[in-house]
Amino acid sequence: MQKIIPSALIILTATILTACTHSDSSFDEQDGLSSFNKDSLAQHIITLASDQFQGRRPFTVGETKTVEYLTNTLRSLGVEPGNGNEYFQKVPMVEITPTCDPSMKVESARGNFTLKNMDDYVIWTENTDSIVSLNSEEVIFAGFGIVAPEYNWNDYAGLDVKGKVVVVLVNDPGFSLIDSTLFKGKEMTYYGRWTYKFEEAARQGAKACLIVHNEAAASYGFNVVQNSWGKSQQHLDTRGKEYRCAVEGWLTEPAAKRLLNTIPDGETLLAKANQKGFKPVLLNLKVSTSMKVKAVFNESKNVIGKITGTKRPDEYIIYTAHWDHFGIGKPDAKGDSIYNGALDNASGTAAILEVARAFKTMKNKPERSIVFLFVTGEEQGLLGSAYYAQNPVYPANKTVANLNIDVINNFSPTKDVSIPGGEGQSELEDYLKKELDKKGRYIAPEAHPEAGHYFRSDHFSFAKVGIPALTIGGGIDAIPQGKEYGQKQQELYNDNFYHQTTDQYDASTWKLEGGLEDTILLFQIGKKLAFETTWPQWKEGSEFKALRKNN
Ligand SMILES: [Zn+2]
């Protein structure tokens, strides 16, 4: 007993010390909360998702109107310009339309054959040369195409792939074995995401990178690949700054097997790739194909506003939501061709405008600076946030946290919220948990850890440069209807509204109470951070921990 007393004292002292992270008593739990109301939230959504905004595609009239609306709203709220005297950051982009040869010629010692464009493979380019081609290039099967020192894994070890075509598998070795000791087991690490595969192949100097599609490992069918690529696509303008493979793309699994079978037992390599020490294999074949490229350069805009902190103005909390959507596209059966993107992501954009308004109404002004960043080009591949992360207005090592929202709940309050990708990345999750506890709410377990949801919205661009980043997703445990009802609502959205012309505001069915509560959560977390001197960290085992620069 005697020995316990002093250590109990130490624990008590330590508790007091960690509890006293507010630099003074100006933090007020209730401050700013009274400004939140769902009509104001709805009004922003109605405007941004109206047909006049034409689906908010970058480079269009829809962009001009959206940027103007966001800028005017920030100004009228009294939020300062976030980039010098300007409310925007220019984002140089390029729209690339490839016209591919109808087929790819394969020459091998076991005979020649062709693969069919769009049926057997889908390819594109980020190069802006007028013609991009593969001319009898050698092909290497490089397993998962992963270089991960922390897992002691290197699929490119001792290999020179410069100028060659690499074929790699989607996801990571942990998924295919469902072995919790490999990588993160079933949970997809960033090494499993398709964007990583192209980035790593480019770092290795490959000329082309083709990913073998597998529905379970990719978590979507080849039809999604066919619908998403092989047509006009926007990219960041990286001319002269960054090497990308000339050709990027996906192969169906049967097409990949035909390539692999140019060597004896080639097909078995698909299963061998998840064994430690797997060595890449040069296939006995050469491939040729080409595409004509139309490139249109243009500038899009991230919109950015700021409230300067009263005590630590050079420390920043950055809220993000993407303002863009798909614009005008293929008409649906009713002839509607406007992709209004009311939930995705007029709703998140509106939520951050409401957060900005709440911060402005606070009696005690935030001690750290609060930045509101509305990014462009998310639907084209997180372009606006990636550009910001690479060209930050505020230094990454002075950025305390990124809080992101992409789609809010529009059906009912819920007991739970989700963290896309699951828990375990950063201490921001502990802040979220504390706020949820106060309301008797909780974090729902991630239903599809293999899908890599953490890597699919703009907070991920911040994570990639080491800034702790949190995005919150809606829950399903509806009050009072329960989980089954909530699950059903989510399925309805995925099937009937997600990335379709039908994603429109509907006053007769939308209920924004739940979305408003989740918005308030994000506000409370940012407010707490704004009065603290602490720096939330990445958790042990997060692939982003090593990227955090000292602050
Ligand atoms: Zn979105």
Side-chain angles (χ1 to χ4, degrees):
M1 281 301 282
Q2 276 169 326
K3 275 185 183 165
I4 292 171
I5 295 165
S7 50
L9 268 177
I10 292 165
I11 292 167
L12 188 65
T13 321
T15 312
I16 291 167
L17 283 176
T18 48
C20 287
T21 47
H22 301 137
S23 53
D24 64 17
S25 58
S26 54
F27 175 79
D28 172 358
E29 187 73 40
Q30 299 301 316
D31 207 357
L33 291 185
S34 62
S35 83
F36 284 97
N37 75 80
K38 65 181 168 67
D39 296 332
S40 176
L41 181 67
Q43 204 46 57
H44 291 308
I45 300 173
I46 291 166
T47 307
L48 290 163
S50 66
D51 281 356
Q52 283 80 29
F53 281 66
Q54 298 188 4
R56 306 186 306 280
R57 186 178 171 88
F59 304 170
T60 65
V61 176
E63 161 157 8
T64 312
K65 291 199 170 189
T66 305
V67 169
E68 200 176 83
Y69 181 79
L70 295 174
T71 303
N72 288 343
T73 307
L74 290 173
R75 193 181 287 123
S76 71
L77 290 173
V79 173
E80 306 148 44
N83 187 13
N85 303 326
E86 314 272 24
Y87 281 101
F88 59 83
Q89 176 187 41
K90 287 182 185 168
V91 181
M93 283 166 44
V94 56
E95 180 143 355
I96 296 178
T97 312
T99 308
C100 296
D101 282 358
S103 64
M104 183 184 290
K105 207 167 87 190
V106 184
E107 303 161 84
S108 101
R110 293 188 158 190
N112 300 343
F113 57 94
T114 58
L115 296 176
K116 250 182 108 187
N117 182 44
M118 294 310 280
D119 291 345
D120 297 321
Y121 64 90
V122 176
I123 55 172
W124 63 92
T125 186
E126 292 195 33
N127 275 21
T128 53
D129 303 343
S130 56
I131 290 187
V132 172
S133 52
L134 300 176
N135 308 306
S136 295
E137 314 296 354
E138 291 189 305
V139 180
I140 288 172
F141 177 66
F144 284 92
I146 291 173
V147 180
E150 71 274 41
Y151 295 115
N152 198 14
W153 195 283
N154 185 352
D155 285 320
Y156 288 101
L159 187 68
D160 183 5
V161 299
K162 283 202 177 61
K164 297 190 170 71
V165 177
V166 293
V167 171
V168 299
L169 301 176
V170 69
N171 218 311
D172 65 42
F175 171 78
S176 52
L177 271 188
I178 318 288
D179 176 349
S180 59
T181 66
L182 274 181
F183 289 69
K184 289 186 178 177
K186 198 181 174 198
E187 180 183 333
M188 187 196 272
T189 62
Y190 183 55
Y191 298 111
R193 184 85 174 134
W194 58 268
T195 48
Y196 168 81
K197 310 289 179 181
F198 297 137
E199 288 162 3
E200 189 57 51
R203 279 192 284 273
Q204 302 290 334
K207 182 165 186 185
C209 178
L210 302 174
I211 303 173
V212 181
H213 179 264
N214 172 286
E215 182 150 354
S219 81
Y220 42 80
F222 198 70
N223 60 325
V224 172
V225 173
Q226 291 164 322
N227 291 336
S228 309
W229 286 284
K231 57 181 180 188
S232 191
Q233 183 86 23
Q234 295 172 339
H235 306 275
L236 288 180
D237 175 7
T238 53
R239 278 176 299 176
K241 285 185 215 145
E242 190 191 339
Y243 175 77
R244 302 284 308 190
C245 298
V247 176
E248 298 174 344
W250 291 82
L251 282 167
T252 64
E253 201 163 70
K257 284 180 181 167
R258 291 184 72 187
L259 296 182
L260 292 170
N261 282 332
T262 56
I263 59 167
D265 296 324
E267 209 176 302
T268 62
L269 290 173
L270 289 175
K272 287 179 185 151
N274 57 18
Q275 285 157 23
K276 259 204 167 124
F278 171 81
K279 293 267 183 315
V281 181
L282 179 67
L283 303 178
N284 189 7
L285 61 85
K286 290 188 167 134
V287 293
S288 305
T289 192
S290 78
M291 61 180 106
K292 288 199 190 81
V293 176
K294 190 179 139 212
V296 179
F297 294 92
N298 210 331
E299 260 169 0
S300 185
K301 289 189 177 84
N302 289 331
V303 177
I304 181 165
K306 179 175 76 149
I307 297 173
T308 302
T310 54
K311 295 208 172 145
R312 289 176 295 291
D314 59 347
E315 297 177 4
Y316 307 91
I317 294 143
I318 303 186
Y319 282 95
T320 46
H322 75 87
W323 61 252
D324 69 299
H325 198 55
F326 289 108
I328 297 175
K330 220 166 76 192
D332 62 19
K334 290 181 188 152
D336 183 2
S337 59
I338 301 176
Y339 289 70
N340 303 77
L343 272 178
D344 189 6
N345 185 30
S347 71
T349 303
I352 299 305
L353 287 174
E354 287 299 281
V355 167
R357 196 161 67 86
F359 270 108
K360 283 305 288 184
T361 64
M362 282 165 60
K363 282 198 299 295
N364 300 325
K365 303 300 172 202
E367 296 177 355
R368 281 170 161 162
S369 293
I370 314 289
V371 176
F372 307 98
L373 177 63
F374 302 90
V375 291
T376 180
E378 190 272 353
E379 304 288 12
Q380 308 287 328
L382 316 183
L383 303 185
S385 57
Y387 184 81
Y388 178 89
Q390 290 153 21
N391 305 274
V393 176
Y394 305 104
N397 66 348
K398 291 288 171 196
T399 301
V400 178
N402 166 243
L403 301 170
N404 179 64
I405 191 149
D406 189 351
V407 177
I408 67 170
N409 169 327
N410 73 337
F411 58 88
S412 158
T414 55
K415 283 189 198 149
D416 56 342
V417 295
S418 61
I419 298 181
E423 291 180 69
Q425 287 290 7
S426 84
E427 290 171 359
L428 292 173
E429 295 162 16
D430 305 333
Y431 284 76
L432 173 62
K433 217 171 280 170
K434 272 190 198 138
E435 291 308 316
L436 288 166
D437 279 348
K438 291 177 197 163
K439 308 272 175 206
R441 302 180 69 194
Y442 66 94
I443 297 170
E446 164 64 88
H448 296 287
E450 75 285 4
H453 283 129
Y454 190 77
F455 317 122
R456 294 193 185 185
S457 189
D458 296 298
H459 60 290
F460 176 54
S461 296
F462 288 82
K464 270 174 116 179
V465 294
I467 298 169
L470 176 76
T471 190
I472 63 168
I476 55 160
D477 195 350
I479 306 168
Q481 304 94 330
K483 285 185 193 167
E484 213 169 292
Y485 173 84
Q487 180 77 46
K488 183 94 200 135
Q489 299 309 306
Q490 237 173 40
E491 282 163 17
L492 278 175
Y493 169 67
N494 285 334
D495 294 346
N496 301 334
F497 300 96
Y498 175 67
H499 288 187
Q500 298 178 42
T501 52
T502 43
D503 182 3
Q504 300 185 17
Y505 180 79
D506 182 346
S508 67
T509 55
W510 280 44
K511 298 192 184 75
L512 287 172
E513 290 80 358
L516 190 70
E517 279 184 8
D518 296 348
T519 303
I520 292 171
L521 276 178
L522 270 196
F523 169 68
Q524 291 290 69
I525 294 168
K527 189 173 83 180
K528 196 149 198 338
L529 289 166
F531 287 91
E532 286 186 358
T533 53
T534 42
W535 293 79
Q537 301 296 314
W538 292 103
K539 295 195 173 185
E540 222 43 69
S542 166
E543 56 265 61
F544 309 110
K545 194 173 173 66
L547 300 171
R548 183 57 158 160
K549 308 273 187 323
N550 291 331
N551 39 262

